[in-house]
Amino acid sequence: MASFFDLKARKAAAANGSAPKADDKKQNTRRQPWVEKYRPKTLSDVTAQDHTVNVLQRTLQASNLPHMLFYGPPGTGKTSTILALAKELYGPEMIKSRVLELNASDERGISIVREKVKDFARMQLTNPPAGYKSRYPCPPFKIIILDEADSMTQDAQSALRRTMETYSKITRFCLICNYVTRIIDPLASRCSKFRFKSLDQGNAKKRLEEIAEKEGVGLEDGAVDALIKCSEGDLRKAITYLQSAARLVGAIEKDQDGGDAADDAMDVDRKTVSVAILQEIAGVIPEDTITALQKAMQPRSAGATYQAVAKVVEDMVADGWSAGQVVSQLYHSVLQDETIPDLQKNKITLVFSEVDKRLLDGADEHLSILDLALRISNILSGKG
Amino acid sequence: MALIVDKHRPRSLDQLTYHNELSDRLRSLAQSGDFPHLLVYGPSGAGKKTRIVATLKELYGPGVEKIKIDARVFQTSSSRKLEFNIVTSVYHLEITPSDVGNYDRVVVQDLLKEVAQTQQVDQSARQKFKVVVINEADHLTRDAQAALRRTMEKYSPNLRLILLANSTANIIAPIRSRTLLVRVAAPSIQDITTALADSAKKEGWPAAAGLHKRIALESGRNLRRALLMYEAVHAQNEKITDDTPIPPPDWEALIGQIAKEIMEEHSPNRILQVRAKLYDLLTHCIPPTTILKTLTFKLIALIDDDLKYDVIKWSAFYEHRVRTGTKVIFHLEAFVAKFMRIFEMYLMQMDM
């Protein structure tokens, strides 16, 4: 305790403490999720959002920024974009004092959010150290990032209104959300909106291949396509799946322990990530199973339909496929089936919506799926 | 004397008899040192728990088998005291948060935080982290799952979670995306017959391939049930042949009886009689979903093909009602009444 007052001893202790910490850090990057590891560092790294990136880059040069509202489906790079922008604006040293990132899902109470936001918005700017400004623009305002703003309550949102205007000289807001409709109008009208569209195949593919190469994961032919299909345009999901798959086949361990990529390239029996493993991780039901179910649903004499459908459904449940997945995959394949007339498709969609709601309420999966399949087959036979 | 289900339970990954590919994957995960959070799902009796225990053994060695049961008391915010049982070993602990119903969030938060903040005591342990196995994860409330979400990220150096669930439908997406999904499918009929034959050999019972096959079919691809049925057959009969009858469980017999009664007569009077039986089942803690499902499939077997579609439709409808409603008996009776009506209508059409 005495050493607490002794500056020298404290420094020594800090130095001692920092040594294992560095080691820890190394450990951490190794265990770090790839999603974090490969987050774009600069604006130009952001994939497939050309329009938004262009506009932002222009504002970067002009050193002025409006309030912003980013919206779009998950995994399209909204958070990454604003973080990259902040990094380019302020550089590593100023970013801590100039940027406040609030994630609505972990700070629940409105009052906490309000206080924190208001305090930060009110805070005066600190000047960047000399010479720093030549490297980074450091414009004279702070940025407050409100992630998942659509989960903020109406009250919390309206509390922001005045705050946004009063401190607009020294603070800019960036709201990020999935559904722009959940943001109240007065807030939306104060921001310039940027829509983030779903990633297209080409860009997502490039990015995934790049990561796989850097991590030294061998990919089977078609694995990337399967990955993109499973993740439905959500790049974050795709990267997470990729990492899990790599872990599962044990493809990364060697690379990182050995640390020598050349060695591993020589390794003949290096395991690769196959399409089947990816689908297994994503919980996707194999195409055959869905086709079998669809075939069973085709109209025939009533008794035979029941037997056929019941058999397939029973097997599916026993194999442990999740009912939600069955519903969504069946939905896609029914929609794309050209042989079903539109009128029937309409009716089928109604059935889907009802079953989906039931599953969400926790109804029994076996009965629900059986009911779904039988009702569809009834509609297909023209009786429903 | 232990039941054969427990006695012959495989203790290590090598002893598992089916899904070999899955066992191999679990082994490579356990050996890699970088063990992710797992979400293991599959129907009951597929061997989820057995696999996980075997994986834990692979992770830590035989030390995990020395378990003890702790009773802990938690206090909720409204200062209610909750008693909660935890199964622990030096390396891992196992909890069933759904035991405490709505208060599972408190348990999950308190307990996991406590575990996560302490490091592995045993310095010679193979892994730096502890494992917490959460049973019945699909029965966790939304709040508890949201609490897990933060904990999983924050304490990941000291703590790994293994969640066991019957289906992933009730697990929120953020949890699903943070865990590695492992699907354990039910064993095939072939797998079950092999397992039964193995048990028979270990017990020194005479092999009866026909009986094994019938039990496997009867069990609905549930290995635990198959083994229990097998033992029941042996306990009741001195001599086992290929066509020894398999006694159904009492509740199933009763439901079969209900089905027969419903088929025989369609009158309010009969509903009253059935009600007494349904109450009987409910007071013996048979879950309403099981009752409704078994009853439906028993009825389906008895009726004409044209009716099956309608019966399934209404069965699914009332099952949903059971979930959302509060009074179970209403919906069970409603189903019985509905069935009688559909059946009566059908018969009248036939007459015309």
Side-chain angles (χ1 to χ4, degrees):
Chain A
M1 200 60 216
S3 67
F4 182 79
F5 298 102
D6 185 358
L7 264 181
K8 254 185 204 162
R10 274 178 73 193
K11 263 183 195 154
N16 279 340
S18 71
K21 228 177 205 167
D23 202 38
D24 259 9
K25 207 163 188 184
K26 204 172 149 201
Q27 198 88 355
N28 269 346
T29 47
R30 189 182 138 184
R31 299 275 156 85
Q32 213 182 15
W34 293 356
V35 187
E36 291 299 328
K37 202 166 164 189
Y38 292 100
R39 214 180 254 290
K41 304 270 183 317
T42 60
L43 263 187
S44 41
D45 280 353
V46 176
T47 336
Q49 308 293 351
D50 298 330
H51 172 71
T52 317
V53 170
N54 272 342
V55 174
L56 287 180
Q57 239 149 14
R58 227 167 289 151
T59 57
L60 196 63
Q61 281 150 16
S63 270
N64 196 10
L65 213 62
H67 293 304
M68 288 171 295
L69 173 61
F70 289 0
Y71 65 100
T76 47
K78 299 179 294 294
T79 316
S80 300
T81 307
I82 188 66
L83 286 179
L85 177 74
K87 232 176 241 165
E88 280 193 39
L89 278 177
Y90 301 114
E93 279 167 46
M94 294 301 291
I95 198 163
K96 275 185 204 124
S97 61
R98 288 291 181 90
V99 178
L100 174 71
E101 193 192 343
L102 272 185
N103 196 320
S105 59
D106 43 53
E107 319 274 334
R108 296 269 172 178
I110 311 167
S111 58
I112 300 174
V113 176
R114 239 193 251 167
E115 298 257 290
K116 240 179 168 174
V117 169
K118 218 167 179 181
D119 283 352
F120 187 82
R122 244 192 311 221
M123 214 161 61
Q124 281 303 322
L125 296 170
T126 47
N127 274 328
Y132 197 74
K133 220 167 168 176
S134 59
R135 277 179 294 155
Y136 297 101
C138 275
F141 51 76
K142 293 163 295 193
I143 297 185
I144 297 180
I145 305 171
L146 295 174
D147 211 341
E148 292 165 42
D150 40 5
S151 65
M152 280 166 77
T153 55
Q154 293 253 340
D155 293 340
Q157 289 189 33
S158 28
L160 271 181
R161 276 153 75 165
R162 225 19 223 159
T163 321
M164 268 172 103
E165 276 172 358
T166 328
Y167 305 106
S168 64
K169 262 192 191 151
I170 48 170
T171 307
R172 297 287 182 276
F173 280 84
C174 178
L175 305 176
I176 301 179
C177 62
N178 292 127
Y179 306 101
V180 74
T181 42
R182 301 249 179 93
I183 303 291
I184 55 171
D185 279 345
L187 270 195
S189 74
R190 281 177 176 79
C191 302
S192 56
K193 289 182 201 150
F194 295 96
R195 195 174 81 87
F196 282 68
K197 48 185 188 297
S198 253
L199 257 77
D200 57 301
Q201 299 255 338
N203 279 311
K205 193 172 177 177
K206 220 166 63 196
R207 189 89 190 137
L208 286 171
E209 275 168 351
E210 198 182 302
I211 292 174
E213 198 191 328
K214 273 193 193 144
E215 291 289 339
V217 181
L219 286 174
E220 203 176 67
D221 286 345
V224 179
D225 292 313
L227 203 52
I228 291 168
K229 206 173 149 207
C230 299
S231 57
E232 295 156 356
D234 184 341
L235 192 57
R236 178 177 37 196
K237 223 193 228 169
I239 295 175
T240 315
Y241 285 158
L242 181 64
Q243 186 173 17
S244 312
R247 261 182 190 159
L248 207 55
V249 296
I252 32 171
E253 253 345 273
K254 283 185 211 156
D255 290 33
Q256 296 194 333
D257 284 345
D260 198 351
D263 261 9
D264 282 300
M266 303 286 196
D267 210 344
V268 207
D269 53 48
R270 197 165 64 146
K271 290 170 190 155
T272 52
V273 175
S274 68
V275 178
I277 286 180
L278 282 173
Q279 285 185 334
E280 179 72 47
I281 287 172
V284 174
I285 305 164
E287 208 64 31
D288 307 349
T289 317
I290 294 289
T291 328
L293 180 59
Q294 252 188 315
K295 213 179 266 165
M297 285 184 321
Q298 290 310 317
R300 56 187 103 177
S301 69
T305 325
Y306 175 78
Q307 298 299 349
V309 170
K311 177 89 187 58
V312 176
V313 171
E314 206 183 308
D315 282 348
M316 270 168 117
V317 173
D319 277 342
W321 298 115
S322 104
Q325 189 69 33
V326 177
V327 170
S328 72
Q329 271 187 276
L330 193 63
Y331 178 70
H332 277 288
S333 64
V334 166
L335 267 197
Q336 278 161 9
D337 192 345
E338 296 289 334
T339 55
I340 305 173
D342 282 353
L343 195 65
Q344 288 187 359
K345 275 189 189 170
N346 260 343
K347 284 181 187 158
I348 291 175
T349 318
L350 282 179
V351 178
F352 270 113
S353 106
E354 198 182 324
V355 171
D356 186 51
K357 158 84 176 131
R358 275 187 198 168
L359 284 175
L360 201 71
D361 284 342
D364 184 75
E365 302 201 340
H366 189 173
L367 273 181
S368 303
I369 296 295
L370 192 57
D371 180 35
L372 171 75
L374 284 177
R375 270 157 87 172
I376 293 177
S377 94
N378 205 38
I379 291 171
L380 286 181
S381 65
K383 275 188 279 187
Chain B
M1 197 186 90
L3 294 171
I4 55 169
V5 187
D6 293 322
K7 210 158 52 172
H8 300 160
R9 188 189 291 276
R11 305 273 175 223
S12 70
L13 285 174
D14 303 315
Q15 290 170 14
L16 293 168
T17 51
Y18 54 92
H19 297 331
N20 289 328
E21 201 180 322
L22 181 64
S23 310
D24 285 345
R25 275 198 228 143
L26 284 174
R27 184 177 301 126
S28 79
L29 273 183
Q31 285 167 353
S32 76
D34 180 18
F35 194 72
H37 299 294
L38 292 184
L39 170 57
V40 183
Y41 67 102
S44 56
K48 303 184 287 291
K49 194 61 173 295
T50 311
R51 276 204 159 64
I52 290 312
V53 173
T55 313
L56 284 175
K57 196 177 170 191
E58 187 78 32
L59 269 174
Y60 294 109
V64 271
E65 282 178 344
K66 273 188 218 136
I67 51 172
K68 62 177 198 289
I69 297 175
D70 264 349
R72 293 277 299 271
V73 177
F74 289 93
Q75 198 154 28
T76 63
S77 50
S78 54
S79 70
R80 229 192 83 166
K81 292 223 166 89
L82 300 171
E83 275 235 0
F84 189 66
N85 287 325
I86 310 171
V87 180
T88 58
S89 81
V90 189
Y91 306 107
H92 84 293
L93 67 167
E94 197 183 307
I95 51 176
T96 314
S98 47
D99 282 353
V100 282
N102 270 334
Y103 295 105
D104 54 355
R105 188 178 59 92
V106 186
V107 172
V108 165
Q109 274 176 336
D110 287 3
L111 190 69
L112 290 191
K113 226 172 248 170
E114 192 186 302
V115 175
Q117 282 166 353
T118 54
Q119 286 207 339
Q120 189 71 267
V121 188
D122 187 357
Q123 282 300 323
S124 58
R126 280 195 226 166
Q127 313 290 345
K128 264 181 73 185
F129 53 82
K130 281 191 178 186
V131 172
V132 175
V133 180
I134 298 183
N135 289 322
E136 296 177 27
D138 43 353
H139 292 295
L140 283 175
T141 55
R142 288 286 149 102
D143 281 349
Q145 292 189 37
L148 272 185
R149 189 175 158 180
R150 295 276 298 144
T151 325
M152 281 165 99
E153 284 176 341
K154 236 163 126 186
Y155 301 113
S156 65
N158 284 343
L159 175 73
R160 291 292 185 282
L161 291 179
I162 298 181
L163 307 172
L164 291 174
N166 278 124
S167 114
T168 55
N170 290 329
I171 311 266
I172 57 173
I175 301 267
R176 259 184 285 165
S177 76
R178 280 178 181 77
T179 49
L180 178 59
L181 297 183
V182 178
R183 183 175 61 90
V184 182
S188 66
I189 303 288
Q190 185 60 45
D191 292 334
I192 293 182
T193 42
T194 329
L196 288 179
D198 280 354
S199 286
K201 209 156 72 187
K202 278 185 204 153
E203 283 292 311
W205 288 337
L211 180 72
H212 294 166
K213 180 105 190 171
R214 274 193 304 133
I215 290 180
L217 284 172
E218 195 78 7
S219 69
R221 292 176 71 184
N222 181 336
L223 185 55
R224 181 178 339 132
R225 201 161 159 212
L227 283 169
L228 287 171
M229 280 158 79
Y230 191 45
E231 184 148 28
V233 170
H234 273 278
Q236 288 178 0
N237 299 292
E238 285 285 311
K239 211 168 146 43
I240 304 297
T241 57
D242 273 1
D243 26 51
T244 311
I246 306 166
D250 288 347
W251 58 270
E252 219 179 302
L254 188 56
I255 292 180
Q257 211 179 332
I258 294 177
K260 214 189 279 162
E261 281 177 16
I262 295 175
M263 288 299 290
E264 275 166 8
E265 194 184 317
H266 315 123
S267 64
N269 212 8
R270 196 33 75 91
I271 298 185
L272 269 181
Q273 286 171 8
V274 167
R275 172 192 287 166
K277 292 211 166 79
L278 287 176
Y279 261 126
D280 200 20
L281 284 170
L282 286 175
T283 46
H284 281 89
C285 288
I286 309 291
T289 306
T290 316
I291 298 177
L292 191 61
K293 223 165 112 176
T294 322
L295 183 59
T296 310
F297 286 115
K298 291 246 187 251
L299 286 172
I300 286 278
L302 298 175
I303 54 176
D304 284 348
D305 289 339
D306 289 336
L307 266 177
K308 285 177 179 170
Y309 159 76
D310 270 333
V311 173
I312 290 288
K313 181 175 150 190
W314 288 110
S315 164
F317 178 82
Y318 284 111
E319 204 276 327
H320 177 221
R321 286 280 178 92
V322 167
R323 287 296 165 128
T324 44
T326 49
K327 213 50 179 141
V328 170
I329 191 75
F330 292 163
H331 309 293
L332 289 181
E333 272 185 11
F335 173 68
V336 172
K338 189 85 198 174
F339 176 80
M340 286 181 177
R341 179 168 167 76
I342 295 174
F343 197 61
E344 193 73 6
M345 292 277 275
Y346 178 71
L347 288 181
M348 271 161 64
Q349 267 175 358
M350 293 261 283
D351 285 346
M352 275 198 297

